[in-house]
Amino acid sequence: MKELLRTKGYKATPQRELIFECFLAAGRHITVDELYQKVRLKDSSVGHSTVWRNLKLICKLGLAEEVNLGDGLTRYDRITPEPHGHLYCLECKKLVEFDMAKLLPALNETAQGSRFQPVGFKIEIQGYCDSCGERLGVTGENSYNGSGTKNVGKKERGKNDDLS
Amino acid sequence: MKELLRTKGYKATPQRELIFECFLAAGRHITVDELYQKVRLKDSSVGHSTVWRNLKLICKLGLAEEVNLGDGLTRYDRITPEPHGHLYCLECKKLVEFDMAKLLPALNETAQGSRFQPVGFKIEIQGYCDSCGERLGVTGENSYNGSGTKNVGKKERGKNDDLS
DNA sequence: TTGCAAATGAATGTCGTTTTCATTTGGGCA
DNA sequence: TGCCCAAATGAAAACGACATTCATTTGCAA
Ligand SMILES: [Mn+2]
Ligand SMILES: [Mn+2]
Ligand SMILES: [Zn+2]
Ligand SMILES: [Zn+2]
């Protein structure tokens, strides 16, 4: 790690090393605050902005990327050897990954059909996981949805005055 | 429109009718502020929060849905008869839609493979549009990308102190 | 060692979203 | 047609995540 940092021209500070270490050890889709908490278990003097900045650096170094599930929180996802998409359970908020290799040909074709030169693909499938679907009795045909999704699962900041 | 509103139990106020009208007349992917501006051309007394609340209502009524391109702005997209995905040009920020019907079988299969009951799909292809790709000399194989995308195009609020 | 650009951390700024609350008003009803 | 009141409105404020500022510290090349 020290290596990578120095060869890329960044200083290997103890805070930075700790943050990188905690990030790599943590699960996927971690938020700034979640990582901040983890880091502080090891060194409570590390600042929030340092964690934020280093998470940005981790992305810049190609080790992670930001993910937006539309819930108002930016999550940082470790880059995987193969591109993957996300399955998001609307009930329990569980996030499962899936390999999107099989979909790539069709996606590239789609892009070319619109004369677009694709660089990245983001696929999110919202629905219900096994247990939630069963518990809620979600049988089959729920589907359909305008542009293909709904921005459900937003963190519910509070109530709407009206339109409850 | 008055009909729909009343049958659903909502009052048909002039502001509400104007907002609905402007939204339906406007292009896709409009932001609260953009719609607010359009509305004020017709009635400058309408408040910002009223536009915001009615946009939420429009979604609740199933006429639109929120779209997050990861640029920190929520856009409201008219629901289309067939689900569609988005092609997003990283250079000029142009947003083009594509019919995702052809991809649905593979997507449903993917979901079932993880025992998920799909409800909605969100597909975003980031890359370069025809003209930008040409101008920038983006030939072909750029691709690959961890979970399938990058959160590029964020509105660049300023610079980063470091990690410029 | 020394010098200095890079990095850090606390505080502060930014800005889109959401709520509060006093006031107005749509529309069911007498 | 007037009344009444829950729903709706609008201005202002609250909220909260992201981002920056700046004084101070520190990695590390020379
Ligand atoms: Mn769209
Ligand atoms: Mn992931
Ligand atoms: Zn679930
Ligand atoms: Zn373009």
Side-chain angles (χ1 to χ4, degrees):
Chain A
M1 200 67 264
K2 259 193 175 70
E3 322 307 310
L4 174 63
L5 285 172
R6 288 182 178 144
T7 58
K8 294 280 185 173
Y10 297 98
K11 293 184 178 177
T13 68
Q15 296 95 330
R16 176 164 285 167
E17 289 188 86
L18 176 59
I19 292 170
F20 274 56
E21 177 191 314
C22 287
F23 173 74
L24 295 178
R28 304 179 174 295
H29 320 119
I30 198 170
T31 64
V32 184
D33 279 295
E34 287 168 351
L35 184 56
Y36 174 61
Q37 295 307 328
K38 285 182 183 296
V39 167
R40 287 180 68 92
L41 291 178
K42 301 268 190 172
D43 178 350
S44 65
S45 72
V46 178
H48 190 279
S49 48
T50 299
V51 174
W52 179 82
R53 278 184 289 228
N54 277 292
L55 229 17
K56 288 289 187 184
L57 177 59
I58 285 171
C59 288
K60 182 187 268 194
L61 292 177
L63 298 175
E65 62 185 349
E66 301 188 345
V67 173
N68 268 134
L69 270 359
D71 65 348
L73 276 202
T74 299
R75 287 161 190 289
Y76 293 81
D77 202 8
R78 186 99 175 63
I79 294 281
T80 53
E82 293 303 321
H84 69 270
H86 296 125
L87 286 156
Y88 185 56
C89 179
L90 300 175
E91 180 65 14
C92 66
K93 315 305 180 193
K94 182 164 61 184
L95 196 57
V96 175
E97 304 187 326
F98 67 85
D99 180 17
M100 65 165 72
K102 291 181 295 297
L103 296 169
L104 287 178
L107 289 169
N108 275 301
E109 198 177 329
T110 295
Q112 296 183 330
S114 296
R115 298 169 173 283
F116 256 74
Q117 195 57 243
V119 169
F121 305 95
K122 178 184 291 181
I123 300 184
E124 189 187 323
I125 302 180
Q126 302 185 326
Y128 297 96
C129 72
D130 200 18
S131 49
C132 288
E134 197 171 293
R135 177 155 36 75
L136 297 174
V138 184
T139 57
E141 295 315 296
N142 277 60
S143 254
Y144 182 52
N145 210 299
S147 87
T149 188
K150 250 169 197 158
N151 264 71
V152 227
K154 190 153 289 185
K155 207 181 54 182
E156 286 298 352
R157 273 203 215 165
K159 49 184 49 186
N160 247 340
D161 185 278
D162 29 48
L163 40 136
S164 54
Chain B
M1 200 68 262
K2 261 194 173 70
E3 321 307 311
L4 174 62
L5 285 172
R6 289 183 177 144
T7 58
K8 292 281 186 174
Y10 297 98
K11 291 184 177 176
T13 69
Q15 295 96 329
R16 176 164 285 165
E17 289 187 86
L18 175 59
I19 292 169
F20 274 56
E21 177 190 314
C22 288
F23 173 74
L24 296 177
R28 303 181 176 293
H29 319 118
I30 198 170
T31 64
V32 183
D33 278 295
E34 286 168 351
L35 184 56
Y36 174 60
Q37 294 308 327
K38 286 183 183 294
V39 166
R40 286 180 67 91
L41 292 178
K42 300 270 189 171
D43 178 349
S44 65
S45 72
V46 177
H48 191 280
S49 48
T50 298
V51 173
W52 179 82
R53 279 185 289 229
N54 277 292
L55 229 18
K56 287 289 186 184
L57 178 59
I58 285 172
C59 288
K60 182 186 268 195
L61 293 178
L63 299 175
E65 61 187 351
E66 299 187 348
V67 174
N68 267 134
L69 269 359
D71 65 348
L73 276 203
T74 300
R75 287 162 191 288
Y76 293 82
D77 202 7
R78 185 99 175 64
I79 294 282
T80 53
E82 293 303 321
H84 68 271
H86 295 126
L87 286 157
Y88 185 54
C89 179
L90 300 174
E91 180 65 15
C92 66
K93 314 305 179 194
K94 181 164 60 182
L95 195 57
V96 174
E97 305 187 327
F98 67 85
D99 179 17
M100 65 164 74
K102 292 182 294 297
L103 296 170
L104 287 179
L107 289 169
N108 275 302
E109 198 176 331
T110 295
Q112 295 184 330
S114 296
R115 297 167 173 283
F116 256 73
Q117 195 58 244
V119 171
F121 305 95
K122 179 184 291 182
I123 300 184
E124 189 187 321
I125 301 180
Q126 302 184 327
Y128 297 96
C129 72
D130 200 19
S131 50
C132 289
E134 198 171 293
R135 176 155 36 75
L136 297 173
V138 183
T139 55
E141 295 315 294
N142 276 61
S143 256
Y144 183 52
N145 211 298
S147 85
T149 187
K150 251 169 196 156
N151 265 72
V152 229
K154 191 154 290 183
K155 208 180 53 180
E156 286 299 351
R157 274 202 215 164
K159 49 184 48 183
N160 246 342
D161 184 274
D162 29 46
L163 40 135
S164 54

